[in-house]
Amino acid sequence: MNKSKAVLWIVAAVLIAVVGFLVLKPASAGVQNIDAKELATLVDEGVTVLDVRTAGEFAAGHVPGAVNIPIDQLSTGLGALDNSKPVAVYCATGARSSQALSVLQAAGFATVYHLAQGILTWDGPVERGESLAATSTPQATSTPVLYEFFTDW
């Protein structure tokens, strides 16, 4: 075998090893993907459950005892949570909660459980009602709002 073929084989082996590592590594350090059954166990253990859906979605139905901080308010709303305790995060399908993982880790949450498939997989009891985020948003002032409708006949 000549030198160029040997170098090619070594480069190919390194590439395969790197790709394998990237595919098989966990989502992030300190993050554990869980299913609905595991979330039910965590709820029973008293782990803080964070719902990052909108206030309207939360009001329609959420995991009992969950705290609602919509994803677009997460970086400013985390002061209400204790980052020294584990937190389980979910959304509807797992997309928004995946985004929340980096925010939680940047805020110092060491143990984060992620309901990767979202609340759509939840088969336990649900609570209904407004979120704290919905009630803490500033209310409209008495300033009138003008709606203009235009039709081209």
Side-chain angles (χ1 to χ4, degrees), residues 108-126:
F109 286 82
T111 305
V112 180
Y113 299 100
H114 178 230
L115 184 59
Q117 300 299 314
I119 196 170
L120 294 177
T121 62
W122 179 254
D123 59 357
V126 294

Side-chain angles (χ1 to χ4, degrees), residues 56-152:
E57 290 173 297
F58 183 83
H62 55 270
V63 173
V67 175
N68 178 233
I69 305 174
I71 188 71
D72 60 346
Q73 299 171 18
L74 189 59
S75 56
T76 58
L78 282 178
L81 302 178
D82 183 354
N83 66 358
S84 68
K85 295 183 179 174
V87 64
V89 61
Y90 73 90
C91 65
T93 62
R96 288 173 283 182
S97 54
S98 291
Q99 294 173 358
L101 297 176
S102 60
V103 176
L104 291 167
Q105 287 184 311
F109 286 82
T111 305
V112 180
Y113 299 100
H114 178 230
L115 184 59
Q117 300 299 314
I119 196 170
L120 294 177
T121 62
W122 179 254
D123 59 357
V126 294
E127 290 181 345
R128 289 177 173 42
E130 284 190 7
S131 75
L132 294 177
T135 59
S136 65
T137 56
Q139 298 299 314
T141 62
S142 59
T143 306
V145 176
L146 173 67
Y147 291 99
E148 183 175 341
F149 298 96
F150 177 78
T151 359
D152 189 15

Side-chain angles (χ1 to χ4, degrees), residues 9-52:
W9 279 105
I10 291 172
V11 169
V14 169
L15 282 173
I16 290 171
V18 168
V19 169
F21 173 76
L22 291 174
V23 169
L24 297 176
K25 75 173 187 169
S28 298
V31 174
Q32 181 180 347
N33 287 327
I34 59 171
D35 60 22
K37 186 175 182 178
E38 291 167 311
L39 179 59
T41 301
L42 293 171
V43 168
D44 290 343
E45 293 173 0
V47 169
T48 300
V49 179
L50 175 62
D51 184 325
V52 295

